[in-house]
Amino acid sequence: MSSFQIVAVAICVALNALDGFDILAITFAGPGITREWGLGPGGLGIVISTGLVGMSVGSLLLAPLADSIGRRPIILLCLILMTVGMLLSATAANVIALSIWRIVTGLGIGGMLASINAMVAEYSNDTRRDFCVSLMTIGYPLGGVLGGTAAAWLLREFDWRSVFLFGGVVSTLILVVVWWRLPESIEFLVFKRSPDALNRVNTILRRMGRANIAEMPARTRQPRMNVWAAFDKQLVAQTALICAAYFLYMMTCYYVLGWIPSIVTALGFTASVGAEVSVWTNLGGIIGGALLGYLARHINLKPLASGAMLLTALSLAVFGRTQPDLFALKAVAFVLGWFLYSSAVGFYATFVRVFPTHLRATGTGLAIGLGRFGGMLGPVLGGWLMAVGTSRPSVAGIMALGAALSAMSIWLLRGSMLAAPPRLALSR
């Protein structure tokens, strides 16, 4: 891969890291919001879920536009929405205002994820595509580590609003970088064939250090008038399974991400320590996600992804029974994050392999958008179970069922696309 391709992938990793921080910002700020506004577990669960409402809408409505007007313009639009939402979240004076601005932030995050997943796949070569997608995916826990570290310091010095201000400033800086250094995907330009597509492709090729082309390559698939109609019967079945699996996984995932800081605080630790434990979850995710991305080049993806989800369920059940010892909480959180984010890498690698170029952002956005409803359910269900007096181990066991059932759904997928890449492909 050329340095230009590496930079394009690195920018997408940074974008997903920003998504990771923006999503987790509400969990870092959660204990402070609870104290200031007198919210109970159920109320905080609803506030956490409002951003997921926006993410679902963004995934379902904005992501398909990336397959029609381009990856780059949607990424820029989503960055603007995220920046506005984060900055104005810091001005919220009540739950309703904060929920509105979290929805705006979620709109940007939801549309962003599908677009950068497609962008990474299309700027990577055959040899490193799965690994690059895994790097993009672990940008999320990387954002959690860096953002969580910053949040822990900010919460020691300032109130919860500082977390959102920090996110808004970082979003603005990344918006400038994307405008300057991330062009449209060549694969998308070749497929859409706008009047200036050849000039745009050659401009990008020159920046990659490659020779110009005299004419556009032959197109093997004709564009459809209705992109949703392009889902044939086989792809519909695969998409339904992936959406079901992602819905169940996200229910577990957002319970973990949304409640760990508050659970640790409820055990008698400070809000800053709660953010630190969340950082250990993300550290585990960085290592586990990168490892699964590497292994996916050599081992069938289906057993890797489903195995990671089963171990996520087991780790969550163990976390629910961990005593209020800081070292033990950080250690179990690290292991939980390892498998939680390995599962996420498995999903994003599956999206790339299942959905073709002209449906990649649409299919990924559909799976993410429907899956976010599971993400909304997770924090609310967890908060309700706590509010009615369910014990911490029992809540963890119930929420772990989502990951276990998700593993079963992935195992039901059929087709050769989840096998390890053939050795011939690895030599290209």
Side-chain angles (χ1 to χ4, degrees), residues 19-34 37 39 43-52 55 85-86 89-90 92 94-95 97-103 105-106 109 140 147 151 155 160-161 163-164 167 254 257-262 275 278 379:
D19 280 357
F21 175 76
D22 284 2
I23 294 169
L24 295 177
I26 188 65
T27 71
F28 298 142
I33 294 171
T34 299
W37 292 342
L39 297 180
L44 181 60
I46 292 172
V47 172
I48 292 172
S49 294
T50 54
L52 300 176
M55 291 172 66
M86 289 294 284
S89 291
N94 52 58
V95 171
L98 179 60
S99 297
I100 290 171
W101 297 123
R102 291 303 297 165
I103 289 172
T105 306
I109 295 171
Y140 186 106
L155 290 170
W160 58 268
R161 292 174 178 82
V163 176
F164 294 114
Y254 275 92
L257 300 179
W259 278 106
I260 278 185
S262 295
S278 183

Side-chain angles (χ1 to χ4, degrees), residues 210-227:
R210 308 273 175 95
N212 285 357
I213 57 174
E215 59 183 7
M216 297 290 277
R219 183 168 51 197
T220 58
R221 188 189 296 266
Q222 294 299 314
R224 311 281 186 109
M225 292 300 293
N226 180 359
V227 72

Side-chain angles (χ1 to χ4, degrees), residues 82 130-131 191 219 221 232 238 245 295 326 347 349 380 386:
M82 290 163 62
D130 282 334
F131 184 65
F191 178 78
R219 183 168 51 197
R221 188 189 296 266
D232 55 29
Q238 300 287 59
L295 292 176
L326 188 56
F347 272 112
V380 174
M386 294 177 202

Side-chain angles (χ1 to χ4, degrees), residues 7-336:
V7 168
V9 170
I11 290 173
C12 290
V13 173
L15 287 169
N16 206 27
L18 178 64
D19 280 357
F21 175 76
D22 284 2
I23 294 169
L24 295 177
I26 188 65
T27 71
F28 298 142
I33 294 171
T34 299
R35 285 194 305 272
E36 183 172 325
W37 292 342
L39 297 180
L44 181 60
I46 292 172
V47 172
I48 292 172
S49 294
T50 54
L52 300 176
V53 173
M55 291 172 66
S56 297
V57 175
S59 297
L60 293 171
L61 298 184
L62 293 181
L65 296 177
D67 282 330
S68 57
I69 67 175
R71 302 1 179 167
R72 174 181 155 87
I74 295 303
I75 289 173
L76 290 169
L77 171 62
C78 290
L79 268 173
I80 292 171
L81 289 172
M82 290 163 62
T83 301
V84 170
M86 289 294 284
L87 291 175
L88 292 181
S89 291
T91 70
N94 52 58
V95 171
I96 294 175
L98 179 60
S99 297
I100 290 171
W101 297 123
R102 291 303 297 165
I103 289 172
V104 172
T105 306
L107 282 171
I109 295 171
M112 173 82 73
L113 287 172
S115 301
I116 60 176
N117 194 55
M119 187 75 89
V120 168
E122 291 159 12
Y123 265 115
S124 306
N125 61 13
D126 289 345
T127 304
R128 295 177 176 85
R129 182 164 291 117
D130 282 334
F131 184 65
C132 288
V133 169
S134 75
L135 287 179
M136 183 277 297
T137 306
I138 64 174
Y140 186 106
L142 180 63
V145 169
L146 299 177
T149 302
W153 179 82
L154 289 168
L155 290 170
R156 283 194 296 268
E157 303 294 329
F158 309 101
D159 68 6
W160 58 268
R161 292 174 178 82
S162 62
V163 176
F164 294 114
L165 284 173
F166 174 77
V169 170
V170 174
S171 297
T172 303
L173 295 175
I174 294 183
L175 176 61
V176 174
V177 173
V178 170
W179 181 269
W180 174 47
R181 292 288 294 176
L182 188 65
E184 186 56 83
S185 154
I186 289 181
E187 197 168 328
F188 174 82
L189 291 172
V190 168
F191 178 78
K192 294 301 289 186
R193 295 176 182 262
S194 61
D196 63 341
L198 181 60
N199 288 334
R200 293 176 68 184
V201 168
N202 280 330
T203 298
I204 298 171
L205 287 174
R206 286 194 296 272
R207 294 175 68 180
M208 292 172 63
R210 308 273 175 95
N212 285 357
I213 57 174
E215 59 183 7
M216 297 290 277
R219 183 168 51 197
T220 58
R221 188 189 296 266
Q222 294 299 314
R224 311 281 186 109
M225 292 300 293
N226 180 359
V227 72
W228 296 102
F231 286 90
D232 55 29
K233 290 182 179 179
Q234 181 181 1
L235 194 53
V236 164
Q238 300 287 59
T239 302
L241 279 172
I242 292 170
C243 289
Y246 200 63
F247 177 94
L248 292 163
Y249 164 77
M250 292 300 284
M251 186 176 72
T252 298
C253 179
Y254 275 92
Y255 166 74
V256 172
L257 300 179
W259 278 106
I260 278 185
S262 295
I263 289 172
V264 172
T265 303
L267 290 174
F269 298 96
T270 65
S272 177
V273 171
E276 290 174 13
V277 174
S278 183
V279 166
W280 280 92
T281 307
N282 290 287
L283 280 172
I286 292 170
I287 299 172
L291 179 61
L292 190 138
Y294 173 78
L295 292 176
R297 296 177 56 197
H298 308 286
I299 303 173
N300 286 8
L301 185 57
K302 186 161 69 172
L304 277 176
S306 56
M309 282 175 237
L310 285 174
L311 290 169
T312 297
L314 178 61
S315 302
L316 177 55
V318 172
F319 185 83
R321 295 182 176 275
T322 303
Q323 297 302 308
D325 174 81
L326 188 56
F327 176 81
L329 287 168
K330 287 181 177 179
V332 178
F334 179 88
V335 174
L336 175 57

Side-chain angles (χ1 to χ4, degrees), residues 395-410:
V395 174
I398 293 169
M399 301 309 298
L401 287 174
L405 293 172
S406 178
M408 293 177 59
S409 299
I410 286 292

